[in-house]
Amino acid sequence: MKKTIFLFLAISLLVFYSCDSDDQDQITINYVSFESTSFNFGVDLQSSNSNDIKVYTTLISNVERVFNINIETDLSTADPASYTVPTSVSVPANTNVGAFTVNISDLNIGPDGEILVISLTNEAGLFIGDPIVLNIKQICPYPETQLDITFDDFPDEQFWELYDSNDVLLFEGGPYSDQTEFSRTFCLENGTYKILMGDVFGDGGGPYTITNNGNVLVTGDGDHGFGEEITFQINN
């Protein structure tokens, strides 16, 4: 990460330095960047987590410097009520490293996760790096359960629903299009569950399996007509 910053600086110096550099003062680029362009941010179920995000500068000053922070709402999918991000980050005097804390709670995090895009404010005489994308995922405290489907020639006919022991619908999916395979993981605690695998045309679909912690819990060959229901247990 630091290498990327100083590589940029080296390239920039080549651009801004004249061929007759011996006759000119050395030019230094005022550059600030996040530690990386992406960051995996795990959030505990029904809780919240905090992580420090670092920024690096090419210049070292004898006074504290402050850089403004933006949330790229048009690019982010995270619920605005789920995160807390400061409006600025400080780089202490006589150093080129600063950090700010981001807190994210388990609020409306979808099964495929969410993203939060953060950028630095451009100012006159200041070069800024790319935004950082926080890839937000729920942290499952149990071994994850996985559904795998291999579609037949008509994935647009196949659908599924997953219920708990009280027949409460937890997850669902389908129909699909232009796909040959599908995979989805779930964070399920020990208990009894039911999978409904259906086909809207009534001629069955592709084979599927449900696994947990390396153990196969459910298998279906796809010959289920309009649909079939299979109950299974998770015991870890």
Side-chain angles (χ1 to χ4, degrees):
M1 294 162 302
K2 287 185 179 179
K3 292 180 180 178
T4 301
I5 295 171
F6 290 108
L7 177 60
F8 175 91
L9 174 58
I11 294 173
S12 299
L13 287 174
L14 288 175
V15 174
F16 286 92
Y17 227 170
S18 74
C19 295
D20 190 16
S21 59
D22 292 339
D23 297 331
Q24 298 187 22
D25 293 333
Q26 184 175 353
I27 300 174
T28 303
I29 303 302
N30 186 17
Y31 180 70
V32 58
S33 175
F34 293 111
E35 60 183 283
S36 64
T37 56
S38 66
F39 186 95
N40 293 328
F41 200 116
V43 179
D44 291 323
L45 289 176
Q46 299 179 351
S47 185
S48 64
N49 293 73
S50 297
N51 281 292
D52 288 339
I53 307 298
K54 293 181 180 180
V55 297
Y56 293 89
T57 67
T58 53
L59 299 183
I60 295 178
S61 174
N62 59 2
V63 296
E64 180 185 66
R65 286 168 293 165
V66 178
F67 302 97
N68 292 326
I69 295 173
N70 303 309
I71 303 297
E72 302 290 344
T73 55
D74 292 344
L75 302 176
S76 302
T77 62
D79 190 324
S82 70
Y83 56 81
T84 302
V85 180
T87 57
S88 64
V89 55
S90 298
V91 175
N94 302 313
T95 182
N96 72 326
V97 183
F100 61 97
T101 301
V102 176
N103 180 273
I104 301 179
S105 64
D106 181 21
L107 176 64
N108 295 328
I109 299 178
D112 297 321
E114 308 295 338
I115 62 172
L116 178 61
V117 183
I118 303 174
S119 63
L120 296 167
T121 300
N122 202 353
E123 301 173 5
L126 176 66
F127 293 89
I128 61 173
D130 292 332
I132 186 169
V133 179
L134 306 188
N135 300 301
I136 305 167
K137 292 275 191 178
Q138 290 176 322
I139 299 175
C140 185
Y142 325 106
E144 290 188 319
T145 301
Q146 181 164 318
L147 168 65
D148 292 291
I149 305 174
T150 301
F151 295 114
D152 61 9
D153 294 334
F154 304 98
D156 57 331
E157 298 176 358
Q158 194 159 354
F159 67 94
W160 57 271
E161 298 172 349
L162 182 64
Y163 296 85
D164 66 9
S165 59
N166 297 314
D167 282 335
V168 175
L169 178 64
L170 302 177
F171 305 97
E172 61 183 332
Y176 302 90
S177 60
D178 301 326
Q179 290 181 239
T180 57
E181 295 180 328
F182 171 80
S183 182
R184 170 80 176 272
T185 57
F186 313 98
C187 185
L188 302 176
E189 60 183 327
N190 289 346
T192 302
Y193 299 89
K194 179 178 66 179
I195 184 75
L196 165 63
M197 190 63 65
D199 185 272
V200 296
F201 193 75
D203 60 350
Y208 64 95
T209 61
I210 296 178
T211 57
N212 173 268
N213 203 20
N215 301 313
V216 178
L217 304 181
V218 175
T219 59
D221 59 9
D223 187 18
H224 50 247
F226 281 101
E228 64 182 0
E229 295 181 355
I230 299 179
T231 299
F232 61 96
Q233 297 279 338
I234 296 178
N235 298 295
N236 290 306

